[in-house]
Amino acid sequence: MNKLLMVLLALQLAGCATARTLDAAKPGAPVVYSGTRLDLYAMNGGCCAMDRFGAEAPSYPGVDLPASALLDTLLLPLSVLTVIGVSFQATGGL
């Protein structure tokens, strides 16, 4: 139980690459599996994450990779729709 708690804490401290790339909205940046791709780019020694993805890589991309892969998989239908040009004009609230 303590190891699981430590891993979750490390993920929170590292920052989620998927959330960072979704907030970036950089034209021409990867959309499908963007967080996973950012983690792999950082793990392979990529120099210019901000220029390529519009977001800084997490401090510990190896720790962030499983969570980013899971979140990217869950968001895959929305990512694909975004790539093919379907836009959402969603509003909400009370």
Side-chain angles (χ1 to χ4, degrees), residues 8-50:
L8 290 174
L9 180 62
L11 283 173
Q12 292 298 322
L13 292 175
C16 182
T18 301
R20 288 179 183 191
T21 56
L22 290 175
D23 288 342
K26 179 177 173 39
V31 176
V32 177
Y33 278 95
S34 59
T36 304
R37 292 166 73 176
L38 175 58
D39 285 334
L40 292 173
Y41 181 77
M43 289 170 61
N44 288 322
C47 67
C48 310
M50 185 61 85

Side-chain angles (χ1 to χ4, degrees), residues 74-88:
L74 292 174
L75 296 174
L76 183 61
L78 295 175
S79 299
V80 170
L81 288 173
T82 301
V83 168
I84 62 174
V86 176
S87 63
F88 300 99

Side-chain angles (χ1 to χ4, degrees), residues 46-65:
C47 67
C48 310
M50 185 61 85
D51 293 337
R52 183 175 170 113
F53 293 91
E56 287 294 329
S59 303
Y60 301 101
V63 174
D64 183 60
L65 184 62

